[in-house]
Amino acid sequence: MDGRAALPPGQTWALRGTTSNIRYTHRTELELLTARQPTLGRPEATRAALIPIRKSQAWWELAQDERRTILETRSHHITIGLRYLPAIARRLYHCRDLGEEFDFLTWFEYADTDGDRFDTLVGELRETEEWSYVEREVDIRLRR
């Protein structure tokens, strides 16, 4: 047994999300993200990661300004992410309002030479106060 949960016969695992407006960012952060964020599908980006995330009910019970304070003022989520652009491209899909099991699907693409940098990025984010609100994540790595 390799530890993976087997799906019942005839079942598949489907993830659904939608792109949406960028939330929790101030104008200057949005401009920096837009200027540095590379497009997806770059030929050199031969590695990818899909990380579905579900946050706790306690997170969603916070007001949006409280979530913003935790996200950026105390956890520095946007600031951390900006340090890894343009090497690591990212797209966020929202799932919560679709009634899905996860709140977000995070998709990352990067070159093979940036694998260690990606691991460092994810490690930094997992050490933040914001991450204490993550109830479940699944880290799926892919190679083209």
Side-chain angles (χ1 to χ4, degrees), residues 15-23 33-34 36-42 45 47-53 77 81 84-95 103-110 118 121 125 140:
L15 299 170
R16 293 183 322 133
T18 184
T19 57
S20 183
N21 60 308
I22 296 177
R23 301 172 189 167
L33 287 166
T34 301
R36 293 184 190 173
Q37 175 69 27
T39 59
L40 297 175
R42 298 170 293 156
R47 295 184 64 185
L50 174 64
I51 305 177
I53 294 172
H77 184 111
Y84 294 90
L85 292 174
I88 300 167
R90 179 190 72 97
R91 169 94 28 94
L92 180 67
Y93 297 91
H94 298 267
C95 313
D103 297 319
F104 307 100
L105 304 176
T106 52
W107 176 257
F108 301 91
E109 294 180 356
Y110 50 96
F118 179 73
L121 163 65
L125 291 172
I140 304 163

Side-chain angles (χ1 to χ4, degrees), residues 53-66:
I53 294 172
R54 180 177 61 226
K55 291 199 173 176
S56 68
Q57 189 59 36
W59 173 261
W60 297 110
E61 289 173 356
L62 297 169
Q64 184 156 331
D65 64 320
E66 293 171 312

Side-chain angles (χ1 to χ4, degrees), residues 41-48 109 142-144:
R42 298 170 293 156
E44 68 273 15
T46 58
R47 295 184 64 185
E109 294 180 356
L142 306 160
R143 184 184 303 265
R144 175 167 36 118

